[in-house]
Amino acid sequence: MGKLIINVIEIRGKCPVFKVGDRIVIEGPQVKLEETDAICTHAFASLIPYIVALRKGIKPSELGLGKKDKAYVQCLDPGPPYTEGGTVIFEITVVKDEAEKSVENSKRGNR
């Protein structure tokens, strides 16, 4: 499986960890720290089930999380008036490598 790029696209309330535009890069089971701006345990708890599913090739639309190669997930922190923090909206993009694209294209050609 290729990699996942998780971008912060919106923050509702205050987030002490992320700012809009930050990203997390996942390749295989590894967080690519050199390509990642920040990681938050609250947010990662929200993301991890979907990271695994998307890495396994399940489409965002099949999970009810988006369309095509993009999924949308938010942080567990509900923000005001319930907490002093805020919730972060993440856009997860599935980046396929060239081998996967080639296999998909050949499958389509055989139909």
Side-chain angles (χ1 to χ4, degrees):
M1 188 75 210
K3 66 180 172 182
L4 303 177
I5 299 176
I6 304 167
N7 287 299
V8 174
I9 61 168
E10 184 180 344
I11 298 172
R12 296 177 187 160
K14 294 179 281 184
C15 177
V17 177
F18 292 111
K19 63 185 181 306
V20 172
D22 279 353
R23 72 182 192 161
I24 301 167
V25 178
I26 309 285
E27 194 162 2
Q30 182 178 17
V31 176
K32 302 297 284 181
L33 295 175
E34 65 278 2
E35 299 177 53
T36 295
D37 296 308
I39 297 177
C40 171
T41 56
H42 295 294
F44 216 68
S46 298
L47 293 166
I48 198 69
Y50 305 113
I51 288 170
V52 172
L54 293 166
R55 279 187 42 237
K56 296 289 185 182
I58 299 173
K59 293 184 168 117
S61 59
E62 291 176 39
L63 297 169
L65 297 176
K67 300 173 184 170
K68 298 189 183 186
D69 288 337
K70 294 189 187 291
Y72 298 88
V73 177
Q74 76 180 51
C75 172
L76 292 171
D77 188 340
Y82 308 103
T83 71
E84 297 294 318
T87 193
V88 176
I89 310 297
F90 298 94
E91 178 183 77
I92 307 171
T93 303
V94 178
V95 180
K96 296 181 180 163
D97 63 24
E98 292 305 313
E100 287 176 308
K101 288 178 189 174
S102 177
V103 168
E104 279 185 11
N105 289 336
S106 69
K107 285 180 182 177
R108 285 187 196 128
N110 290 334
R111 290 183 186 171

